Amino acid sequence: MIRGIIIGVLAVGVAGTAYWGYQEHREKNAILINAENNYQRAFHDLTFEMDLLHDKIGTTLAMNSRYSLSPSLVEVWRLTSEAHSDVGQLPLTLLPFNKTEEFLSQIGKFSYQTAVRDLDKEPLSEEEYETLKVLYKQSGDIQNELRKVQHMVLKNNLRWMDVELALASGKEKTDNTIIDGFKTVEKTVSGFDESDFGPTFTNMQQKDENFKKIKGKNISEKEAISIAKKYMKFDGNSEVKVTESGKGSDYGFYSVSIKNKKTGQEGSMDITKKAGYPIWFINHREVDKQKISLNDANLKAAAFLKENGYKNLELFESMQYDNTGVFNFVTSENNIRIYPEAVKVEVALDNGNIIGFTAEEYLKSFQTREVEKPVLTSEQARAKVNPNFKVMEERQAIIVNDLNKEVLCYEFLGTIDDDTYRIFINAVDGTEEEVEKLKNAEEVYDKVI
């Protein structure tokens, strides 16, 4: 009797385990099938988008009217964005594919920046037509390589899940048609010379000059360590690690990591080799309960910048995140804000120490510039803004517009209903260069009702 009960219980247990295993298997298969379907969709969408992109660039070459060119270039920009999105949905994170993504970004940037300008006043130049021809040919090369991969995928019923498993296990060096195909695509793009885009496209990259305006002699590794300790205020009893940027980097810099042996506190900093300017640093520590006000923290941030040689900076934005204050400063000369020259300082509100700093935009943009005089008066510029906009403050400012050119503007800060905006009107031709909606105070959702 007992034996029969035991056998029955075991049988039920075995059956239950088998059923559970079957359910787990079904659910796992359903997840894998869903992932495979998403990968297949993204890949075939990518191939389709590249077909459309190549054709659209070719169509643009035959156009001459602004009314046709602008929408066509916007369509090119849209297609590159969608192709870029499709690439991001494929399991290629462990496979070098950055050149292809960069190429798509370059096409998108060129088409957008060309489309947004007034093509009646500034039509496409011969150099830009040459750039379009190059983009047409190169997008055709990528299109052909992707079609080859697509043909093999369909012919041999290949699975993207196998690609993901191969990349995750480090076995991508073994024979895999899809991986080999995408490596060929990447190799094809790597063969494109940056100069193929022409001087016009190069000029559009001015914002990304990678600190070329910095002047001074190169510093040593020892000097980089000394600068890092000064900024992070670490004593001599510290463990230091320094990494030098490789030959493939866009600019020379040292990465310095410091650990205070006494307190266990750690900090990291990147410093330019030329002249030894800190690009950014962060002090990794827990910030305790707030003891100083945001205003006091602002004064400490301003003092820190002055102490380290940053002149003519003006606070234009401050925020508080938990127990830290973040302050954005920009250069101000003759009451004109120069927004490209921006630095950000993070202050701990428990003791006022500087725990974060970044000057990347400042270092890229800093220069001695001749500021043109405005053609429009303040009243003429005000007439260009939305009539429902109530102006609270105004000043002159230099910003970088969509064409990566510095332009002098009238900056108006004001409101429409309950929302606050910052509007920039070109001081020379009255163009509405930028409209920025400022963040409202966020509602607290965990209040007791």
Side-chain angles (χ1 to χ4, degrees), residues 161-211:
M161 290 305 299
D162 295 334
V163 173
E164 186 173 40
L165 291 172
L167 291 172
S169 63
K171 296 179 180 179
E172 69 272 18
K173 292 183 179 179
T174 60
D175 183 30
N176 186 297
T177 303
I178 296 178
I179 292 177
D180 292 343
F182 270 80
K183 284 183 176 179
T184 302
V185 173
E186 181 74 354
K187 187 176 180 180
T188 300
V189 179
S190 299
F192 299 160
D193 194 320
E194 193 171 313
S195 63
D196 289 345
F197 286 90
T200 304
F201 187 82
T202 303
N203 289 340
M204 289 182 176
Q205 305 299 320
Q206 287 180 354
K207 194 178 178 183
D208 302 317
E209 286 185 321
N210 294 316
F211 314 142

Side-chain angles (χ1 to χ4, degrees), residues 84-152:
H84 209 282
S85 174
D86 292 329
V87 171
Q89 295 177 56
L90 294 173
L92 301 174
T93 51
L94 301 177
L95 180 68
F97 207 59
N98 56 302
K99 289 291 183 183
T100 303
E101 292 182 282
E102 184 180 331
F103 176 76
L104 290 171
S105 295
Q106 287 171 338
I107 295 178
K109 184 176 289 187
F110 174 82
S111 58
Y112 176 77
Q113 292 177 345
T114 307
V116 296
R117 78 174 190 238
D118 190 336
L119 292 173
D120 279 341
K121 295 180 180 178
E122 195 178 352
L124 286 182
S125 64
E126 287 296 323
E127 289 84 359
E128 286 170 326
Y129 272 112
E130 289 301 316
T131 298
L132 277 173
K133 288 179 182 178
V134 170
L135 295 177
Y136 180 64
K137 178 185 180 302
Q138 294 178 342
S139 61
D141 293 340
I142 298 176
Q143 175 194 39
N144 290 334
E145 294 299 336
L146 283 173
R147 280 184 171 180
K148 290 177 185 176
V149 179
Q150 185 182 44
H151 171 71
M152 296 304 295

Side-chain angles (χ1 to χ4, degrees), residues 246-265:
K247 293 181 179 180
S249 60
D250 293 325
Y251 54 89
F253 65 93
Y254 294 103
S255 290
V256 183
S257 297
I258 302 178
K259 182 176 182 179
N260 189 316
K261 291 183 178 179
K262 185 177 180 180
T263 63
Q265 197 171 321

Side-chain angles (χ1 to χ4, degrees), residues 410-436:
Y410 284 101
E411 174 189 349
F412 297 106
L413 183 69
T415 60
I416 297 178
D417 296 328
D418 295 327
D419 293 317
T420 305
Y421 297 85
R422 185 182 282 127
I423 299 177
F424 295 91
I425 302 295
N426 192 303
V428 175
D429 60 19
T431 301
E432 189 176 65
E433 295 286 356
E434 185 177 332
V435 176
E436 178 187 0

Side-chain angles (χ1 to χ4, degrees), residues 28-82:
K28 183 178 178 181
N29 276 348
I31 293 172
L32 291 175
I33 290 170
N34 184 57
E36 178 65 28
N37 289 341
N38 285 333
Y39 290 151
Q40 291 286 354
R41 176 195 51 76
F43 170 64
H44 293 296
D45 281 353
L46 171 63
T47 308
F48 179 65
E49 300 293 351
M50 285 305 302
D51 287 346
L52 293 179
L53 178 62
H54 180 246
D55 291 343
K56 182 55 69 174
I57 295 174
T59 303
T60 304
L61 282 169
M63 293 177 177
N64 191 41
S65 164
R66 172 204 171 188
Y67 297 103
S68 301
L69 267 173
S70 288
S72 183
L73 288 167
V74 169
E75 183 68 7
V76 170
W77 170 70
R78 184 188 67 81
L79 290 169
T80 56
S81 298
E82 292 188 2

Side-chain angles (χ1 to χ4, degrees), residues 172-439:
E172 69 272 18
K173 292 183 179 179
T174 60
D175 183 30
N176 186 297
T177 303
I178 296 178
I179 292 177
D180 292 343
F182 270 80
K183 284 183 176 179
T184 302
V185 173
E186 181 74 354
K187 187 176 180 180
T188 300
V189 179
S190 299
F192 299 160
D193 194 320
E194 193 171 313
S195 63
D196 289 345
F197 286 90
T200 304
F201 187 82
T202 303
N203 289 340
M204 289 182 176
Q205 305 299 320
Q206 287 180 354
K207 194 178 178 183
D208 302 317
E209 286 185 321
N210 294 316
F211 314 142
K212 290 180 181 177
K213 295 183 177 72
I214 293 176
K215 296 179 181 179
K217 65 176 185 178
N218 284 357
I219 64 169
S220 66
E221 186 175 301
K222 186 176 180 181
E223 288 172 313
I225 294 172
S226 177
I227 292 169
K229 285 185 175 181
K230 173 192 170 187
Y231 268 80
M232 290 185 268
K233 299 188 182 300
F234 280 15
D235 59 29
N237 188 24
S238 303
E239 179 183 331
V240 182
K241 294 181 181 178
V242 182
T243 305
E244 190 173 346
S245 61
K247 293 181 179 180
S249 60
D250 293 325
Y251 54 89
F253 65 93
Y254 294 103
S255 290
V256 183
S257 297
I258 302 178
K259 182 176 182 179
N260 189 316
K261 291 183 178 179
K262 185 177 180 180
T263 63
Q265 197 171 321
E266 296 183 24
S268 305
M269 173 181 276
D270 277 3
I271 305 169
T272 61
K273 283 185 181 178
K274 187 185 290 185
Y277 286 105
I279 303 168
W280 62 268
F281 86 80
I282 185 169
N283 194 333
H284 308 281
R285 76 168 178 86
E286 292 292 329
V287 179
D288 295 329
K289 188 177 179 180
Q290 179 177 353
K291 293 181 181 177
I292 68 171
S293 68
L294 199 62
N295 183 60
D296 288 339
N298 167 37
L299 296 176
K300 290 183 179 294
F304 164 81
L305 292 172
K306 186 176 181 180
E307 176 189 333
N308 288 286
Y310 293 90
K311 300 177 181 179
N312 303 322
L313 292 180
E314 175 183 316
L315 178 72
F316 84 94
E317 188 178 42
S318 64
M319 294 158 285
Q320 182 171 345
Y321 299 99
D322 294 328
N323 296 322
T324 63
V326 179
F327 305 91
N328 291 324
F329 293 82
V330 295
T331 297
S332 178
E333 292 183 4
N334 300 319
N335 294 320
I336 300 174
R337 282 185 179 176
I338 304 174
Y339 280 102
E341 295 182 10
V343 296
K344 185 178 292 184
V345 183
E346 186 175 1
V347 181
L349 298 180
D350 56 357
N351 60 9
N353 284 350
I354 309 300
I355 58 173
F357 168 77
T358 176
E360 185 171 352
E361 294 301 316
Y362 182 91
L363 295 174
K364 285 180 179 179
S365 304
F366 182 75
Q367 59 182 296
T368 302
R369 53 173 63 78
E370 290 290 332
V371 179
E372 60 184 333
K373 291 187 177 181
V375 174
L376 303 182
T377 64
S378 170
E379 290 73 20
Q380 289 172 323
R382 279 192 184 216
K384 303 288 184 180
V385 303
N386 188 314
N388 297 316
F389 180 72
K390 184 179 179 182
V391 177
M392 310 296 290
E393 295 179 20
E394 73 166 79
R395 62 176 58 85
Q396 290 182 28
I398 291 175
I399 66 170
V400 175
N401 66 8
D402 286 334
L403 298 178
N404 275 347
K405 293 179 181 178
E406 289 191 358
V407 290
L408 177 65
C409 295
Y410 284 101
E411 174 189 349
F412 297 106
L413 183 69
T415 60
I416 297 178
D417 296 328
D418 295 327
D419 293 317
T420 305
Y421 297 85
R422 185 182 282 127
I423 299 177
F424 295 91
I425 302 295
N426 192 303
V428 175
D429 60 19
T431 301
E432 189 176 65
E433 295 286 356
E434 185 177 332
V435 176
E436 178 187 0
K437 180 181 180 295
L438 304 184
K439 290 182 178 180

